[in-house]
Amino acid sequence: MSDKLVVAGQEFGSRLIVGTGKYESFEVMRQALESSGAEFVTVAVRRVNLTDKSKESLLDHIDRSRFTLLPNTAGCYTAKDAIRCARLGREAGLSNLVKLEVIGDERTLFPDNEALLEATRVLVKEDFFVFPYTNDDPVICKKLEEAGAVAVMPLGAPIGSGLGIQNPNNLRIIVETVSVPVIVDAGVGTASDATITMELGVDGVLMNTGIAGAKDPPKMAKAMKLAVESGRLAYLAGRIPKKLYATASSPLEGILS
């Protein structure tokens, strides 16, 4: 497809971004990444071995000539911790891109938007390209854009829940409200969820558990690839309006009696 995702000055042929956690082995992860067709993968800075080069690292199983890394600050509960984590990842040579997560509640893993906004402002000033994970709230998404985020990443449902999109109208409003790419992050459980998400007009979908937690991750990764492409094409094509009553496929007008 010539329709590309453009974000942080880079072009990606795939609008699917995949995570690298929760797989039963690095080999299964590698197969899933290949099947997904993704070009953009997210890695948790805290899960990467950045110091002892003699030990196996997650990065040993990711072809960095093929995949662009998006380090994330998973596991951080304060702006200070998230900023430190982002700096550590960049200093270790991962990237100056960062998926910024500041969790506000341990049970729901909902983001702390006040701390997220604070950390975004700091990291933007330090020349990071910030992708903040946030609620499906148009107001905070607009504030994050104004703070310098290169994209906004509203959740579709709680992390790892597989519930699918819970507030489609909020996502539509976010798409209309901000001018930076909107990438839905969290909640996608199966291929139909990914298609519905893309049909809303968002720019991309990020997922991890929906693939890694499947019985056959490589097969699910391929299903997600096709679902994202299908949803994007359907959005660009423009669906027919919904009507309460039937409309004949073969209109009666012009039919000889």
Side-chain angles (χ1 to χ4, degrees):
M1 295 173 61
S2 59
D3 175 49
K4 296 183 181 296
L5 170 64
V6 180
V7 61
Q10 301 184 57
E11 291 187 352
F12 300 94
S14 172
R15 292 175 177 269
L16 173 61
I17 304 172
V18 292
T20 53
K22 301 185 179 180
Y23 290 95
E24 64 179 25
S25 69
F26 286 137
E27 177 57 23
V28 172
M29 179 199 73
R30 187 193 63 77
Q31 292 175 16
L33 294 185
E34 294 286 335
S35 297
S36 72
E39 302 166 22
F40 209 7
V41 300
T42 183
V43 297
V45 174
R46 292 186 172 186
R47 291 185 62 244
V48 176
N49 175 20
L50 299 175
T51 55
D52 190 347
K53 301 302 181 181
S54 66
K55 294 183 179 179
E56 185 178 41
S57 170
L58 169 68
L59 299 181
D60 297 333
H61 302 271
I62 299 175
D63 183 355
R64 295 184 67 175
S65 67
R66 176 174 177 179
F67 298 105
T68 296
L69 295 185
L70 178 60
N72 69 61
T73 62
C76 294
Y77 283 80
T78 67
K80 183 178 180 180
D81 283 347
I83 292 166
R84 183 188 302 114
C85 190
R87 289 169 175 165
L88 178 62
R90 182 165 68 178
E91 289 170 5
L94 294 182
S95 180
N96 62 342
L97 309 175
V98 60
K99 178 193 167 191
L100 185 60
E101 298 181 32
V102 186
I103 301 302
D105 178 70
E106 188 173 358
R107 185 166 62 91
T108 63
L109 300 181
F110 284 151
D112 180 335
N113 287 320
E114 183 178 0
L116 182 69
L117 192 57
E118 176 188 347
T120 297
R121 289 173 175 145
V122 171
L123 292 174
V124 166
K125 288 180 180 179
E126 297 181 8
D127 297 324
F128 279 90
F129 295 98
V130 181
F131 296 68
Y133 162 70
T134 185
N135 293 99
D136 54 352
D137 177 353
V139 175
I140 188 62
C141 285
K142 186 62 179 177
K143 288 182 178 180
L144 288 165
E145 178 187 20
E146 292 171 347
V150 295
V152 292
M153 306 185 80
L155 56 82
I159 292 173
S161 68
L163 289 172
I165 302 304
Q166 297 298 290
N167 295 302
N169 291 329
N170 281 31
L171 294 177
R172 288 193 181 100
I173 294 171
I174 291 169
V175 169
E176 293 178 358
T177 300
V178 303
S179 58
V180 294
V182 177
I183 301 169
V184 171
D185 179 14
V188 172
T190 191
S192 57
D193 296 336
T195 299
I196 290 169
T197 303
M198 293 303 299
E199 287 177 348
L200 297 174
V202 303
D203 297 279
V205 180
L206 190 155
M207 64 185 73
N208 187 180
T209 307
I211 294 175
K215 291 182 179 179
D216 188 327
K219 282 185 179 178
M220 184 59 82
K222 185 173 182 181
M224 294 297 193
K225 170 183 182 291
L226 297 174
V228 168
E229 291 176 357
S230 178
R232 179 65 179 177
L233 283 172
Y235 168 73
L236 294 175
R239 66 158 293 138
I240 64 171
K242 295 181 180 180
K243 298 180 180 179
L244 182 60
Y245 297 104
T247 302
S249 298
S250 299
L252 298 178
E253 292 82 359
I255 295 179
L256 298 177
S257 58

